[in-house]
Amino acid sequence: MNIDLIKKDILNITQQTIAVDIVLQQICDYLKSAVSYYDWVGFYFTNGDKKELILKQFAGKPTEHTVIPFGKGICGQVALSNQNFVVQDVTEQDNYISCGFDVKSEIVVPIFKDGKNIGQIDIDSHLTAPFGKQDEELLEFVCEQVATLNL
Ligand code: SME
Protein backbone atom coordinates (compact mmCIF):
# COMPACT_ATOMS: atom_id res chain seq x y z
CA MET A 1 0.00 0.00 0.00
CA ASN A 2 1.05 3.60 -0.57
CA ILE A 3 0.71 4.67 3.04
CA ASP A 4 1.70 8.31 2.48
CA LEU A 5 -0.90 8.79 -0.23
CA ILE A 6 -3.59 7.12 1.88
CA LYS A 7 -2.71 9.32 4.89
CA LYS A 8 -2.97 12.41 2.69
CA ASP A 9 -6.39 11.33 1.43
CA ILE A 10 -7.51 10.67 5.02
CA LEU A 11 -6.45 14.21 5.98
CA ASN A 12 -8.43 15.61 3.05
CA ILE A 13 -11.48 13.68 4.23
CA THR A 14 -11.21 14.61 7.91
CA GLN A 15 -10.49 18.29 7.30
CA GLN A 16 -13.74 18.92 5.45
CA THR A 17 -16.30 21.08 7.23
CA ILE A 18 -19.13 18.57 6.96
CA ALA A 19 -21.06 16.45 9.46
CA VAL A 20 -18.97 13.95 11.43
CA ASP A 21 -21.20 11.06 10.39
CA ILE A 22 -20.47 11.79 6.75
CA VAL A 23 -16.73 12.06 7.40
CA LEU A 24 -16.73 8.68 9.17
CA GLN A 25 -18.70 7.08 6.34
CA GLN A 26 -16.29 8.49 3.78
CA ILE A 27 -13.33 7.08 5.73
CA CYS A 28 -14.93 3.61 5.74
CA ASP A 29 -15.73 3.72 2.02
CA TYR A 30 -12.33 5.14 1.15
CA LEU A 31 -10.26 2.66 3.16
CA LYS A 32 -12.25 -0.29 1.84
CA SER A 33 -11.54 0.77 -1.74
CA ALA A 34 -7.94 1.95 -1.17
CA VAL A 35 -6.61 -1.24 0.43
CA SER A 36 -7.41 -4.39 -1.54
CA TYR A 37 -7.50 -6.70 1.48
CA TYR A 38 -9.79 -4.46 3.60
CA ASP A 39 -13.11 -6.20 3.00
CA TRP A 40 -15.10 -4.68 5.85
CA VAL A 41 -14.28 -1.38 7.60
CA GLY A 42 -16.31 -0.04 10.49
CA PHE A 43 -16.34 2.22 13.53
CA TYR A 44 -17.62 1.07 16.91
CA PHE A 45 -18.07 3.66 19.67
CA THR A 46 -18.57 3.29 23.41
CA ASN A 47 -22.22 3.75 24.40
CA GLY A 48 -22.06 6.41 27.12
CA ASP A 49 -21.44 4.82 30.51
CA LYS A 50 -22.70 1.43 29.37
CA LYS A 51 -19.99 -1.18 29.02
CA GLU A 52 -20.80 -1.82 25.37
CA LEU A 53 -19.81 -0.81 21.87
CA ILE A 54 -22.26 0.38 19.23
CA LEU A 55 -21.61 0.03 15.51
CA LYS A 56 -21.80 3.38 13.74
CA GLN A 57 -20.58 3.80 10.15
CA PHE A 58 -19.27 0.86 8.14
CA ALA A 59 -18.48 -0.23 4.59
CA GLY A 60 -19.00 -3.84 3.51
CA LYS A 61 -21.62 -6.44 4.31
CA PRO A 62 -24.12 -5.49 7.03
CA THR A 63 -23.51 -7.35 10.31
CA GLU A 64 -25.91 -8.37 13.06
CA HIS A 65 -23.21 -7.50 15.61
CA THR A 66 -24.23 -3.89 16.10
CA VAL A 67 -23.91 -4.00 19.91
CA ILE A 68 -20.88 -5.70 21.49
CA PRO A 69 -20.42 -5.93 25.28
CA PHE A 70 -16.98 -5.01 26.65
CA GLY A 71 -14.85 -8.14 26.84
CA LYS A 72 -16.70 -10.01 24.08
CA GLY A 73 -14.95 -10.72 20.77
CA ILE A 74 -11.90 -8.95 19.45
CA CYS A 75 -13.65 -5.57 19.61
CA GLY A 76 -14.84 -6.05 23.18
CA GLN A 77 -11.35 -7.06 24.27
CA VAL A 78 -9.83 -3.91 22.74
CA ALA A 79 -12.38 -1.81 24.65
CA LEU A 80 -10.74 -3.14 27.83
CA SER A 81 -7.08 -3.55 26.81
CA ASN A 82 -6.65 -0.16 25.05
CA GLN A 83 -4.25 -1.93 22.69
CA ASN A 84 -4.22 -2.72 18.99
CA PHE A 85 -5.36 -6.30 18.34
CA VAL A 86 -4.05 -7.94 15.15
CA VAL A 87 -5.61 -11.32 14.40
CA GLN A 88 -3.88 -12.90 11.42
CA ASP A 89 -6.05 -16.04 11.60
CA VAL A 90 -9.43 -15.82 13.30
CA THR A 91 -9.65 -19.62 13.70
CA GLU A 92 -6.94 -19.33 16.36
CA GLN A 93 -9.08 -17.04 18.56
CA ASP A 94 -11.51 -18.44 21.13
CA ASN A 95 -13.00 -15.07 22.09
CA TYR A 96 -14.03 -14.09 18.58
CA ILE A 97 -17.41 -13.04 17.13
CA SER A 98 -17.72 -14.28 13.54
CA CYS A 99 -19.15 -11.90 10.96
CA GLY A 100 -19.14 -14.50 8.20
CA PHE A 101 -17.30 -17.60 7.04
CA ASP A 102 -15.36 -15.52 4.47
CA VAL A 103 -13.60 -13.44 7.16
CA LYS A 104 -10.12 -14.86 7.79
CA SER A 105 -8.38 -12.08 9.71
CA GLU A 106 -9.12 -8.89 11.59
CA ILE A 107 -7.41 -5.80 12.98
CA VAL A 108 -8.85 -3.50 15.63
CA VAL A 109 -7.23 -0.21 16.70
CA PRO A 110 -8.61 1.92 19.56
CA ILE A 111 -9.53 5.60 19.27
CA PHE A 112 -8.39 7.81 22.14
CA LYS A 113 -9.90 11.22 22.81
CA ASP A 114 -8.47 13.20 25.73
CA GLY A 115 -6.70 10.00 26.80
CA LYS A 116 -9.92 7.99 26.94
CA ASN A 117 -10.70 4.93 24.79
CA ILE A 118 -13.91 6.08 23.07
CA GLY A 119 -14.16 3.52 20.29
CA GLN A 120 -12.26 1.76 17.58
CA ILE A 121 -11.80 1.08 13.93
CA ASP A 122 -12.38 -2.54 12.96
CA ILE A 123 -11.20 -4.11 9.70
CA ASP A 124 -12.00 -7.61 8.45
CA SER A 125 -10.13 -9.31 5.63
CA HIS A 126 -10.88 -12.33 3.48
CA LEU A 127 -7.15 -13.11 3.41
CA THR A 128 -5.20 -14.91 6.10
CA ALA A 129 -2.30 -12.92 7.61
CA PRO A 130 -2.48 -9.82 5.37
CA PHE A 131 -1.65 -7.26 8.08
CA GLY A 132 1.76 -5.72 8.67
CA LYS A 133 3.22 -2.86 10.69
CA GLN A 134 2.03 -0.39 8.02
CA ASP A 135 -1.60 -1.29 8.71
CA GLU A 136 -1.16 -0.51 12.40
CA GLU A 137 0.64 2.74 11.54
CA LEU A 138 -2.07 3.76 9.07
CA LEU A 139 -4.97 2.87 11.33
CA GLU A 140 -3.40 4.63 14.33
CA PHE A 141 -3.11 7.71 12.12
CA VAL A 142 -6.77 7.36 11.08
CA CYS A 143 -7.82 7.06 14.73
CA GLU A 144 -5.79 10.15 15.69
CA GLN A 145 -7.51 12.13 12.95
CA VAL A 146 -10.94 10.82 13.96
CA ALA A 147 -10.23 11.92 17.55
CA THR A 148 -9.86 15.52 16.33
CA LEU A 149 -13.46 15.49 15.05
CA ASN A 150 -16.40 16.83 17.00
CA LEU A 151 -17.49 13.37 18.21
N1 SME B 1 -15.25 -9.96 14.70
C1 SME B 1 -15.53 -8.92 15.66
C2 SME B 1 -17.00 -8.56 15.63
C3 SME B 1 -17.30 -7.44 14.73
S1 SME B 1 -17.26 -7.85 13.12
O1 SME B 1 -15.87 -8.15 12.69
C4 SME B 1 -17.91 -6.69 12.14
C5 SME B 1 -15.13 -9.35 17.05
O2 SME B 1 -14.73 -10.50 17.26
O3 SME B 1 -15.20 -8.53 17.95
Side-chain angles (χ1 to χ4, degrees):
M1 69 162 83
N2 185 339
I3 189 166
D4 292 327
L5 176 69
I6 297 177
K7 282 183 177 177
K8 209 166 125 264
D9 287 340
I10 289 291
L11 278 181
N12 284 333
I13 293 172
T14 52
Q15 288 173 355
Q16 299 171 100
T17 48
I18 54 174
V20 175
D21 287 1
I22 297 173
V23 170
L24 294 176
Q25 186 63 54
Q26 286 184 2
I27 293 173
C28 293
D29 294 338
Y30 171 72
L31 285 176
K32 184 174 179 292
S33 66
V35 184
S36 61
Y37 52 90
Y38 288 5
D39 293 298
W40 190 92
V41 179
F43 287 104
Y44 283 92
F45 287 98
T46 300
N47 185 11
D49 288 338
K50 293 190 188 162
K51 301 275 177 225
E52 65 185 21
L53 297 160
I54 304 284
L55 178 63
K56 298 285 185 179
Q57 290 72 23
F58 66 93
K61 261 199 307 202
T63 172
E64 62 192 18
H65 304 294
T66 54
V67 181
I68 299 179
F70 282 16
K72 295 268 190 258
I74 307 304
C75 297
Q77 291 178 76
V78 169
L80 296 175
S81 72
N82 304 321
Q83 309 257 335
N84 297 350
F85 200 154
V86 183
V87 179
Q88 303 285 18
D89 180 352
V90 295
T91 64
E92 290 175 359
Q93 294 294 320
D94 293 332
N95 190 357
Y96 168 72
I97 303 165
S98 173
C99 281
F101 68 93
D102 46 358
V103 177
K104 301 285 193 292
S105 57
E106 174 163 6
I107 181 169
V108 178
V109 174
I111 302 167
F112 298 100
K113 193 168 175 89
D114 302 324
K116 211 172 147 235
N117 183 344
I118 58 157
Q120 50 194 237
I121 191 166
D122 176 17
I123 311 241
D124 288 343
S125 177
H126 296 167
L127 298 183
T128 302
F131 303 119
K133 276 286 151 211
Q134 280 207 325
D135 295 279
E136 287 190 74
E137 184 190 328
L138 171 63
L139 297 174
E140 284 171 8
F141 178 81
V142 171
C143 289
E144 281 164 22
Q145 297 313 313
V146 166
T148 68
L149 302 173
N150 192 15
L151 294 164

